[in-house]
């Protein structure tokens, strides 16, 4: 991932979410929620596990790619990443 590393949560929000994700019209970023975990402030149905993006979508070529996959440390090496990527591919 070219941006980062980020020192603070505020820096991550400003540089990644606002400048990269929100400013690009060909990028959609989704929250990854682990519904097997207790609810959190971000989502009542599970715990925030990370973020995943579609990027470089082309209606002319009928294609897109899975871009940034950011999984929080607690959820790394679990079912979360493979299930999130599988859902994006589906």
């Amino acid at each position: 991932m070219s941006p980062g590393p980020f020192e603070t949560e505020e820096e991550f929000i400003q540089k990644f979410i606002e400048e990269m994700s929100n400013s690009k019209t060909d990028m959609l970023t989704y929250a990854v929620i682990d519904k097997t975990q207790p609810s959190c402030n971000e989502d009542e149905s599970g715990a925030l596990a990370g973020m995943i993006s579609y990027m470089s979508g082309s209606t002319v070529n009928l294609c897109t790619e899975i871009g940034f996959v950011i999984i929080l440390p607690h959820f790394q090496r679990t079912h979360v990443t493979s299930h999130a990527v599988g859902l994006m591919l589906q």
Side-chain angles (χ1 to χ4, degrees), residues 48-65:
L48 178 65
M51 298 170 19
I52 193 166
S53 302
Y54 282 127
M55 60 190 304
S56 303
S58 169
T59 55
V60 173
N61 297 318
L62 297 175
C63 67
T64 191
E65 62 183 276

Side-chain angles (χ1 to χ4, degrees), residues 11-87:
E11 183 182 12
F12 173 76
I13 290 170
Q14 195 267 328
K15 290 188 177 177
F16 180 77
I17 295 179
E18 292 176 2
E19 290 180 12
M20 283 203 60
S21 184
N22 290 348
S23 67
K24 295 182 187 259
T25 59
D26 67 341
M27 184 172 175
L28 294 169
T29 302
Y30 297 93
V32 176
I33 306 295
D34 184 355
K35 292 187 175 189
T36 66
Q37 300 294 318
S39 64
C40 63
N41 293 337
E42 289 80 10
D43 195 299
E44 294 177 0
S45 59
L48 178 65
M51 298 170 19
I52 193 166
S53 302
Y54 282 127
M55 60 190 304
S56 303
S58 169
T59 55
V60 173
N61 297 318
L62 297 175
C63 67
T64 191
E65 62 183 276
I66 295 174
F68 295 103
V69 178
I70 302 169
I71 302 299
L72 298 174
H74 179 73
F75 298 95
Q76 293 174 2
R77 293 181 174 77
T78 67
H79 66 282
V80 171
T81 306
S82 59
H83 287 197
V85 171
L87 288 169

